[in-house]
Amino acid sequence: MLAHPLPEAFYTLATLEIARQLLGKTLLTVSAEPNSGPMAGIIVETEGYIALNDPACHAFSGRTRRNNVMWSEPGRVYVYFTYGNHWMINVVTEPEGVAAAVLIRAVQPVLGLAEMRLRRGLKLLKGSQDDRQLTNGPGKLCQALGVSGRLNGASLQGPQLYLTETPAKLALPPFEIVETTRIGITRGVELPWRFYVKDNRFVSRK
């Protein structure tokens, strides 16, 4: 999985094009914690955010200490804390000085599932204990993959985070992309900037 990280040029594409093309790619984390192995999931849901014309974007009102990474060079991650208990991971896009990012909303876990189950406390969750609960939402996937604020600004070329082409033996079958409005926001709700793999069971909400 580490053999084919996405080239830096990939992140210079338009934000919404990146949001589409990330579907089917693999997000891999390599933890610095002892006795923790690599974990990975295939991206199945994304959302685009562009400060220029998007009131839901964190950088819409200008540059702040919190959103500073969004203005950096593309190919890094913007990781922020929300709702008092969730980390969210975003891929920074557009040229340096232009604030935009793609939120990774859901992944299909493919590597390190045993550790993900421990991180998510799957046996302690109320209701379903199906592996779908590991990564079918942006906060869930960050907890499962060990993503937190310490990775804010990290490069997706490694050594702790990688975005890669998915190996053929793990790749999703040919899929249709559903384009729809974003969820979990109160502004910019009319923009059709959410993309997901049709019929994939790890998508957060159909």
Side-chain angles (χ1 to χ4, degrees):
M1 286 189 176
L2 296 180
H4 302 288
L6 301 181
E8 293 181 352
F10 172 81
Y11 304 103
T12 65
L13 298 174
T15 299
L16 299 185
E17 182 60 24
I18 291 175
R20 293 184 186 93
Q21 290 201 28
L22 282 176
L23 298 177
K25 303 291 195 294
T26 293
L27 173 65
L28 185 143
T29 63
V30 180
S31 176
E33 299 176 10
N35 303 317
S36 180
M39 293 170 287
I42 300 173
I43 298 171
V44 297
E45 183 182 0
T46 62
E47 286 180 343
Y49 290 86
I50 305 170
L52 182 63
N53 55 1
D54 177 12
C57 181
H58 284 183
F60 180 68
S61 298
R63 194 167 191 159
T64 67
R65 187 172 183 178
R66 183 195 191 199
N67 67 36
N68 187 58
V69 174
M70 292 187 73
W71 305 80
S72 67
E73 65 272 17
R76 295 188 176 274
V77 292
Y78 168 46
V79 182
Y80 65 87
F81 202 56
T82 187
Y83 300 122
N85 60 355
H86 294 303
W87 293 104
M88 313 278 263
I89 184 170
N90 302 258
V91 177
V92 175
T93 58
E94 305 290 346
E96 185 172 1
V98 179
V102 174
L103 171 67
I104 300 177
R105 280 202 58 90
V107 303
Q108 177 176 314
V110 292
L111 179 67
L113 271 73
E115 187 164 350
M116 290 187 200
R117 294 180 187 118
L118 290 174
R119 288 179 178 275
R120 288 278 296 127
L122 194 60
K123 291 183 178 180
L124 303 178
L125 294 177
K126 294 181 180 179
S128 174
Q129 295 181 9
D130 189 280
D131 280 346
R132 178 177 179 272
Q133 296 295 324
L134 293 176
T135 55
N136 65 337
K140 293 177 182 180
L141 74 88
C142 282
Q143 184 180 25
L145 295 173
V147 174
S148 67
R150 64 186 173 77
L151 291 174
N152 187 42
S155 169
L156 284 162
Q157 299 294 317
Q160 293 178 282
L161 286 173
Y162 296 87
L163 265 176
T164 76
E165 295 288 352
T166 302
K169 64 180 180 180
L170 296 175
L172 300 176
F175 57 83
E176 180 181 338
I177 296 176
V178 177
E179 178 179 324
T180 185
T181 52
R182 297 170 298 182
I183 56 180
I185 57 176
T186 57
R187 298 185 295 172
V189 294
E190 74 285 356
L191 296 172
W193 290 359
R194 175 177 172 239
F195 308 91
Y196 66 84
V197 174
K198 185 177 181 179
D199 297 329
N200 186 281
R201 72 189 190 99
F202 289 91
V203 170
S204 64
R205 191 188 307 171
K206 303 296 172 65

